Amino acid sequence: MRQHAARFVRDVTARSRLPLDYSVASLRVVDFIVDGLRKSGRDRAAVGQVLFGLGVYAGEVLVRRAGAAWIEFDQGQRELFGQAVGIRMPDGRVWNPVGKVVKRFEAGERESLSTFYLQLHGRARSGSPGCARSGRRV
C-alpha cells in the first residue's frame, strides 16, 4: 500500500502543486480535493480510482504519523467496511481510511479526514513504529 500511495502522490503532484507530504495537515488537502470532486457533479463510479488513491494516501499518513499498520481485512471486515484493506492502530483497533474518503465524497464536510485523525483512538506517540496484532500486513 505504501508503494500505491507513493505512485498516487507522484502522479497527482506531477500535475499540480498539492502539498501531499504525508503530514497530518495534508489531510485537509485530501478533504479539499474530495470536496472538489463532489462539486464537479461526477458520480462515485467516475471518480472511484481517485477516491481509492486518496484513501490509501490518508491511510499512509496514519501509518507514518499515528503508528498504524496496513492490514488485509478478513471476510467479515470486508463485508462491514466494503474494502479489502485498512489499518490497525497500536491499540488493536481497525479503521477504514479508504471508506472514510468515500464517506466524505458522499456526505460532505461532516466526514472530515483531518478530524478523523484527531478522533482516532490508540494513536502512538509521534515517531513510534506501527504494529499489527493480527491480520495480514500489507
Side-chain angles (χ1 to χ4, degrees), residues 107-126:
E109 292 181 13
R110 70 175 184 226
E111 296 293 339
S112 169
L113 275 292
S114 55
T115 302
F116 175 59
Y117 175 85
L118 297 174
Q119 294 173 339
L120 285 177
H121 298 284
R123 288 193 313 263
R125 292 183 189 163
S126 181

Side-chain angles (χ1 to χ4, degrees), residues 22-42:
Y22 302 99
S23 67
V24 174
S26 72
L27 293 174
R28 289 184 183 184
V29 176
V30 173
D31 285 336
F32 176 79
I33 294 169
V34 175
D35 290 345
L37 293 171
R38 284 187 87 224
K39 291 174 185 171
S40 75
R42 292 183 276 179

Side-chain angles (χ1 to χ4, degrees), residues 4 21 24 35 52-53 55 63 65-66 82 94 110 130:
H4 185 82
D21 59 3
V24 174
D35 290 345
F52 182 79
V63 167
R65 303 294 177 211
V94 174
R110 70 175 184 226

Side-chain angles (χ1 to χ4, degrees), residues 51-130:
L51 295 176
F52 182 79
L54 289 167
V56 171
Y57 171 79
E60 188 61 24
V61 170
L62 300 176
V63 167
R64 293 180 184 203
R65 303 294 177 211
W70 284 106
I71 60 166
E72 287 184 20
F73 287 145
D74 63 31
Q75 186 60 36
Q77 292 166 326
R78 286 175 191 227
E79 290 173 12
L80 175 66
F81 294 128
Q83 304 294 331
V85 297
I87 59 162
R88 184 175 307 280
M89 299 302 290
D91 70 353
R93 294 181 194 200
V94 174
W95 299 93
N96 178 15
V98 175
K100 186 66 171 180
V101 167
V102 171
K103 282 185 178 182
R104 175 71 181 213
F105 180 77
E106 293 174 344
E109 292 181 13
R110 70 175 184 226
E111 296 293 339
S112 169
L113 275 292
S114 55
T115 302
F116 175 59
Y117 175 85
L118 297 174
Q119 294 173 339
L120 285 177
H121 298 284
R123 288 193 313 263
R125 292 183 189 163
S126 181
S128 296

